[in-house]
Amino acid sequence: MQVPFSPPSITDVEIAEVLDTLSSGWITTGPKTRVFEQAFCERVGAKAAVAVNSCTAALALALKLHEIGPGDEVITTTLTFTSTVNVIEHTGARPVLVDVCPDTLNIDPEQVERSITCRTKAVIAVHYAGHPADIPALQAICDSHGLKLIEDAAHALPAAIGGRTIGGTGNLTTFSFYATKNLATGEGGMLTGPPELLERARTLSLHGMSRNAWNRYGANGDWFYDVLEPGFKYNMSDLQAALGVAQLKRLDDLQARRAEIYNRYNNVFARVDGVQTPVLRLGCDHAHHLYVLRMQDHNDRDELVNRLREYSVSTSVHFIPVHIHKYYRDRYGYSQNDFPVAFDSYQRMVSLPLSPALTDDQVTYVADKVACVIAGARKAAA
Ligand SMILES: Cc1ncc(COP(=O)(O)O)c(C=O)c1O
């Protein structure tokens, strides 16, 4: 049996929305993108949203809106995808990496506070694997030091902490709709936050032009536009938005299936010695984006990944900590053990297949093979 890591769940609902857009005569940013933005705002309780072509683009816009630039420092977690940090580097600011909490693998607020200097301008919290970062603690730190808090919610649709939905906290928050994400448009992203900031983000997302193509070529359009500031080519097309509208309609069902698979893994692995299952802190709603299992040591992890590959089960590792990538190591002189929790967890972790498109048989197959490989390894070691 083949088990892909994270296949998309595409049904007649997505196909109908895309066909509707294809036959509408308008396929780039336009009415479908607006429908998607409005539906997304309602779903997460945001006051405003701008659809873009990736979470990376949304993060870059968030930094721009907060005027981050050369001489500034931005604190973030080392246990993230490199784009969270690359966007800081592109502004000319210095990314200041910190370690994570051992339970959730989210950025550790105490270490954030210890890393603040007079140059610190912002903190980017990543909601790792779909477990919300400790926003109340981070918000208190940021507020008391006059810092901006940006939330990288690439994994966190939908998640909540203390009854507040991620995306509706009032901070600039960025979502990913990459092919493997909880809501997938192939490529895509969303920036949510205060309407007064997002108005500028909308302009910046399309070259800084005062009018987008829909406003110029539409029935009531006007050819004239002005360039208000040099912007970027970050806009989402109506074809992507069509997928987004459909996936958003199905989000509750998709999430229910994700939770089912996640809990199934949890139940099976709770009875297996030598593995650490993911935690859920009190007051948090998890988005169940990734199922990250931690082994006792990295030999167990490597053995498990290799054996699962032989069984045609695809896995991944989230993430190779940013501080051990060549560029960041060389530029900032990091060494592996600078962030021991992230580095140790990285060596022991594996992300198992998780997608609403997986069948019960596939999930049972993965759980059985994992349990069997670990039991075999423990017997051999005894
Ligand atoms: C934590 C995190 N942030 C940002 C991104 C970037 O998302 P995108 O591919 O939509 O730019 C990813 C992508 O996987 C991610 O995992």
Side-chain angles (χ1 to χ4, degrees):
M1 179 182 292
Q2 292 267 350
V3 188
F5 178 66
S6 183
S9 170
I10 301 296
T11 65
D12 288 348
V13 183
E14 282 77 8
I15 292 168
E17 280 293 351
V18 171
L19 286 179
D20 177 61
T21 297
L22 283 174
S23 55
S24 73
W26 192 267
I27 57 175
T28 187
T29 314
K32 195 68 73 100
T33 305
R34 290 293 169 273
V35 169
F36 182 37
E37 287 171 345
Q38 275 156 18
F40 195 86
C41 275
E42 276 167 33
R43 187 67 174 77
V44 303
K47 290 213 168 87
V50 173
V52 286
N53 54 23
S54 69
C55 182
T56 307
L59 283 165
L61 285 174
L63 292 171
K64 179 90 181 159
L65 294 174
H66 286 323
E67 312 289 357
I68 309 290
D72 297 333
E73 290 178 357
V74 179
I75 300 173
T76 193
T77 166
T78 188
L79 200 63
T80 186
F81 186 54
T82 188
S83 75
T84 317
V85 186
N86 289 351
V87 289
I88 302 170
E89 193 71 14
H90 286 313
T91 66
R94 182 191 177 103
V96 175
L97 301 177
V98 299
D99 211 345
V100 293
C101 302
D103 59 343
T104 60
L105 301 180
N106 271 318
I107 192 165
D108 181 346
E110 275 179 27
Q111 300 211 26
V112 168
E113 188 146 41
R114 278 208 294 273
S115 304
I116 294 171
T117 70
C118 57
R119 290 177 295 280
T120 310
K121 273 275 199 73
V123 174
I124 304 182
V126 176
H127 302 294
Y128 177 84
H131 190 302
D134 190 348
I135 294 301
L138 292 166
Q139 194 76 62
I141 293 166
C142 286
D143 290 349
S144 72
H145 293 270
L147 309 178
K148 305 294 185 189
L149 181 57
I150 296 168
E151 299 180 48
D152 178 342
H155 302 179
L157 177 70
I161 182 162
R164 300 203 67 179
T165 305
I166 302 302
T169 59
N171 295 316
L172 289 175
T173 302
T174 65
F175 292 87
S176 175
F177 308 134
Y178 177 67
T180 58
K181 295 297 190 285
N182 290 19
L183 183 155
T185 63
E187 301 286 350
M190 191 74 80
L191 177 66
T192 62
E196 59 282 9
L197 285 182
L198 288 210
E199 207 175 306
R200 183 173 170 218
R202 187 176 299 290
T203 307
L204 280 170
S205 73
L206 194 64
H207 306 297
M209 289 158 70
S210 56
R211 265 203 189 97
N212 66 22
W214 176 250
N215 301 135
R216 285 181 285 126
Y217 303 137
N220 301 315
D222 181 338
W223 60 268
F224 185 79
Y225 63 87
D226 205 356
V227 175
L228 306 179
E229 59 180 316
F232 308 91
K233 176 69 178 174
Y234 286 166
N235 57 308
M236 174 179 277
S237 78
D238 270 17
L239 281 172
Q240 291 166 312
L243 284 168
V245 167
Q247 293 254 295
L248 206 50
K249 283 184 196 157
R250 295 180 55 226
L251 191 64
D252 287 342
D253 290 344
L254 294 171
Q255 287 305 116
R257 177 65 181 152
R258 277 185 178 275
E260 211 170 75
I261 297 170
Y262 196 97
N263 293 333
R264 180 87 171 277
Y265 284 153
N266 261 347
N267 289 337
V268 173
F269 303 136
R271 294 186 304 252
V272 173
D273 286 338
V275 295
Q276 193 179 343
T277 53
V279 301
L280 179 63
R281 282 194 188 176
L282 216 61
C284 292
D285 293 336
H286 202 295
H288 301 127
H289 175 55
L290 297 172
Y291 190 88
V292 179
L293 198 61
R294 279 179 277 178
M295 308 291 118
Q296 257 167 3
D297 69 46
H298 68 268
N299 291 329
D300 296 344
R301 190 276 303 274
D302 294 345
E303 164 79 3
L304 178 63
V305 169
N306 291 336
R307 293 291 306 282
L308 289 177
R309 192 181 297 121
E310 286 166 17
Y311 288 123
S312 303
V313 174
S314 298
T315 57
S316 191
V317 170
H318 295 87
F319 292 97
I320 303 166
V322 173
H323 74 279
I324 69 170
H325 285 304
K326 180 179 176 1
Y327 175 82
Y328 289 100
R329 221 173 50 218
D330 290 354
R331 179 156 168 83
Y332 296 110
Y334 287 123
S335 61
Q336 285 181 344
N337 290 318
D338 283 349
F339 307 113
V341 179
F343 186 62
D344 168 64
S345 295
Y346 151 65
Q347 291 179 293
R348 297 188 291 113
M349 64 170 53
V350 58
S351 302
L352 298 180
L354 177 55
S355 155
L358 295 180
T359 64
D360 283 347
D361 283 351
Q362 286 176 311
V363 176
T364 303
Y365 179 79
V366 174
D368 285 353
K369 294 298 179 219
V370 171
C372 158
V373 171
I374 293 168
R378 289 182 68 76
K379 205 186 261 175

